[in-house]
Amino acid sequence: MKKDRITTITKAAEAIKTALLVYFAVEVKGKMPACDAAVQNQVKKAFELNDFFGKAAEQILFYPPDQSDISAARVLILGTGPVNKEKDEGAALDMLREAGGQIAKVCALVKAKDVVICLPAPKHLSPAMDDPEMSAGALAEGIILGDYRFEKYKESTKKKTDYPGLDAIKFVCKDNLNIVRRGVERAKNSAFAACRARDMANEPGNHWTSADFAAYAKQLAADMGLGYRCIEKKEMEQMGMGGILAVNQGSHVPARMVILEYLPEDRTETILLVGKGLTFDSGGISIKPSAGMEDMKYDMCGGAAVMCAMQAVALEKPDVGVVAIVPATDNMSGSKAVHPGDIIRHYNGVTSEVINTDAEGRLILADALAWGIENVKPTCVLDTATLTGAVIIGLGHHYTGLVSNNDALVKAVESAGNLAGEPVWRLPLNKNYEKQIESNVADIKNTGGKPAGTITAAAYLSNFVGKTPWAHLDIAGTAWDFTQKTYIPKGPSGTATRTFINLVRNWKTGNVK
Ligand code: BES
Ligand code: MN
Ligand code: ZN
């Protein structure tokens, strides 16, 4: 779908010719759900038949007769649940995002090319959400994210009759037009960025290498007026980036460290984002079991998230500076591959014993963090990575793991994630965990044993951030196949992209020190 095909208008919804017109109905205890006058008859009938109460996810789909006032071919009425129940702003927004995803699903079912959404008054949605910008935005995000599909490589199996997705979305609002419009515009920026991150992740290892990260960033920078730099393998060698080089040793595709900069002249603070761009993780010599190894093409989801967040940053031009770094390579077992037991030296001089070549993410992030902090001199640094299987054991697929050295930054990340429907859960970090990665022969080692694998991975990274406020987001459990939401299809979720965009949007100078 093209961005300019998503519009906000004030025209009477009934008069619009469209494949699908959507209304909302609010659950009212013991009574008929509250809804637009245009669909009152249908809602009343369904309610009296005990078919529809306006509960969240309930729906009515009907076909208005020719003599009806409604010009649409089909009408969908969606339940929103009750008013005055939802206190949590993040939960209220996610309810709307889920409703958006449901709309996209119905569109696919009836192969609707366009959809018109009749927005309810925001106070009808939830008291926590009496904010037309945020609520319209969440709904729009849900539709765009729910309409996502990746069919680039479906050739002979793709039928002409297959549904290509929506071509146009119109939001109709009765009041607050400019505010709603701003919310929808923002939603477009964040949802398209997340869809782009999904596209990158869906690309297989043979079609998405470090070179593709670099080429994409270069083009994005040229199109959007961002700064671009790529540190090539030769420079890494000169600079002593022993971590990313070690991981890259077994591969025939040279590693790259890709940098995108948004640095407005009058900025006072700069946020540094670092994302693991491991384009395929075989485990290296400590090779992974073959069952499910194909999923390790997704090991670059952190890199995709930070790179695509920059797309929205470039559009929204915040006051705060933002720099994204993606250390990119695959992890292979070619004849030059790093061996278990090898000792490497990172960019900042810290030496490390590679116990397990499959704990490679921390090795490439270490150099990126140390180089980024030295060169960007950021106010704070956030990294995100599909770093540990252990985070799935700890939190399942419902929270991103968070480890940080700064409480104010934690608050900001928690809030940004919550508003994006991408909640984070903080895990502790202290000396006791740091002890687990002490090495007999080097400064540190790259594994800390079974206990608290997510925390010991973060403990490793903590050696490269110094005193800079830092937050580490382990997205191994949330980056893909998290299928419990209508707006997240099977495959990559694009998680962390919208969290970072929110973090930048809501950034308050001086808040994190
Ligand atoms: N990319 C993996 C982590 C991962 C595992 C992500 C499963 C998503 C699903 C990472 O590079 C890795 O292999 N981590 C090891 C670390 C261990 C060897 C200390 C892990 O978690 O098993
Ligand atoms: Mn690995
Ligand atoms: Zn990995």
Side-chain angles (χ1 to χ4, degrees):
M1 188 174 21
K2 292 209 174 67
K3 254 186 165 174
D4 60 6
R5 303 286 287 155
I6 305 172
T7 50
T8 314
I9 55 172
T10 47
K11 193 174 169 179
E14 302 80 67
I16 305 173
K17 275 205 161 55
T18 174
L20 184 71
L21 173 59
V22 183
Y23 289 98
F24 294 88
V26 181
E27 184 180 2
V28 184
K29 215 177 167 22
K31 287 199 185 136
M32 188 189 129
C35 63
D36 197 284
V39 288
Q40 212 128 43
N41 286 341
Q42 284 78 11
V43 169
K44 184 161 180 276
K45 263 191 202 155
F47 175 71
E48 285 169 358
L49 287 167
N50 282 333
D51 286 359
F52 184 82
F53 304 93
K55 290 188 197 307
E58 278 185 355
Q59 64 178 53
I60 301 172
L61 180 65
F62 73 93
Y63 301 83
D66 291 341
Q67 66 273 25
S68 148
D69 293 339
I70 297 177
S71 310
R74 309 169 185 86
V75 174
L76 173 70
I77 308 169
L78 270 189
T80 67
V83 181
N84 291 333
K85 282 276 145 57
E86 198 57 86
K87 288 283 185 290
D88 178 291
E89 197 181 8
L93 285 172
D94 216 41
M95 188 267 300
L96 290 169
R97 224 175 267 116
E98 291 244 38
Q102 197 176 342
I103 293 169
K105 279 196 153 80
V106 173
C107 287
L109 197 71
V110 301
K111 295 189 162 61
K113 285 215 163 68
D114 72 318
V115 62
V116 174
I117 321 289
C118 188
L119 289 172
K123 67 170 187 297
H124 276 157
L125 291 172
S126 151
M129 265 334 303
D130 194 2
D131 178 340
E133 179 173 344
M134 295 289 274
S135 50
L139 199 55
E141 270 191 352
I143 303 176
I144 300 167
L145 291 167
D147 185 51
Y148 176 81
R149 44 191 41 74
F150 184 80
E151 289 171 344
K152 186 172 164 189
Y153 296 103
K154 285 205 180 276
E155 289 176 21
S156 52
T157 55
K158 195 171 175 202
K159 293 183 230 85
K160 278 226 163 67
T161 49
D162 278 355
Y163 178 62
L166 278 164
D167 173 56
I169 309 172
K170 281 194 182 76
F171 292 93
V172 176
C173 67
K174 291 186 176 130
D175 32 42
N176 299 313
L177 178 71
N178 286 332
I179 299 171
V180 166
R181 197 166 265 168
R182 200 164 61 218
V184 171
E185 282 309 310
R186 282 202 186 206
K188 284 198 240 177
N189 296 343
S190 50
F192 278 105
C195 287
R196 201 62 202 78
R198 290 176 181 176
D199 279 344
M200 288 183 186
N202 267 316
E203 289 287 354
N206 60 334
H207 287 291
W208 197 265
T209 67
S210 68
D212 296 284
F213 262 125
Y216 185 84
K218 192 173 183 185
Q219 189 63 49
L220 186 69
D223 293 346
M224 316 280 276
L226 297 170
Y228 163 79
R229 177 172 175 192
C230 178
I231 302 177
E232 305 281 350
K233 192 175 158 188
K234 265 223 154 58
E235 276 180 274
M236 291 177 187
E237 285 163 358
Q238 288 157 6
M239 289 197 261
M241 292 186 169
I244 186 167
L245 285 168
V247 174
N248 186 242
Q249 269 171 224
S251 168
H252 67 273
V253 183
R256 291 173 174 88
M257 194 156 328
V258 184
I259 300 139
L260 279 173
E261 299 167 333
Y262 167 77
L263 294 170
E265 229 155 63
D266 42 7
R267 72 188 179 276
T268 53
E269 298 193 336
T270 303
I271 301 171
L272 175 60
L273 304 174
V274 176
K276 172 178 174 182
L278 213 294
T279 57
F280 184 78
D281 183 10
S282 73
I285 297 296
S286 316
I287 197 161
K288 287 183 181 295
S290 38
M293 202 202 270
E294 67 278 9
D295 279 355
M296 283 299 129
K297 71 171 187 174
Y298 296 135
D299 211 16
M300 36 56 71
C301 283
V306 304
M307 196 167 277
C308 295
M310 291 306 282
Q311 179 180 318
V313 168
L315 286 168
E316 297 182 1
K317 300 190 172 34
D319 295 335
V320 65
V322 189
V323 175
I325 304 181
V326 180
T329 175
D330 51 5
N331 183 22
M332 300 299 288
S333 51
S335 61
K336 294 182 182 163
V338 65
H339 320 121
D342 282 1
I343 297 175
I344 60 169
R345 187 173 186 277
H346 282 293
Y347 177 76
N348 68 347
V350 171
T351 61
S352 171
E353 183 186 8
V354 179
I355 301 295
N356 188 321
T357 66
D358 197 13
E360 84 298 338
R362 63 201 76 183
L363 303 187
I364 71 170
L365 289 170
D367 288 337
L369 287 165
W371 183 88
I373 288 170
E374 183 185 293
N375 287 275
V376 178
K377 299 181 182 61
T379 313
C380 67
V381 57
L382 296 103
D383 76 76
T384 187
T386 45
L387 205 62
T388 65
V391 79
I392 308 174
I393 306 300
L395 299 173
H397 298 287
H398 312 303
Y399 281 86
T400 285
L402 173 68
V403 178
S404 175
N405 61 3
N406 186 290
D407 293 348
L409 186 57
V410 166
K411 275 220 166 78
V413 176
E414 280 174 347
S415 159
N418 203 31
L419 294 177
E422 299 178 338
V424 298
W425 197 264
R426 188 182 190 178
L427 302 168
L429 176 59
N430 63 35
K431 288 260 176 314
N432 296 320
Y433 298 104
E434 286 161 22
K435 254 193 137 52
Q436 280 178 242
I437 56 164
E438 280 174 8
S439 162
N440 290 332
V441 286
D443 296 331
I444 49 176
K445 59 183 178 183
N446 80 332
T447 58
K450 258 217 150 142
T454 303
I455 302 174
T456 53
Y460 191 93
L461 299 179
S462 73
N463 285 281
F464 305 90
V465 297
K467 293 214 161 11
T468 307
W470 160 67
H472 160 65
L473 283 74
D474 192 332
I475 54 170
T478 49
W480 73 88
D481 283 357
F482 172 61
T483 53
Q484 307 216 329
K485 292 188 180 184
T486 54
Y487 64 90
I488 306 180
K490 248 199 169 339
S493 62
T495 198
T497 313
R498 290 180 304 106
T499 295
F500 286 149
I501 294 170
N502 278 346
L503 185 89
V504 172
R505 280 176 183 164
N506 300 338
W507 190 254
K508 290 195 181 62
T509 304
N511 192 30
V512 171
K513 288 186 213 64

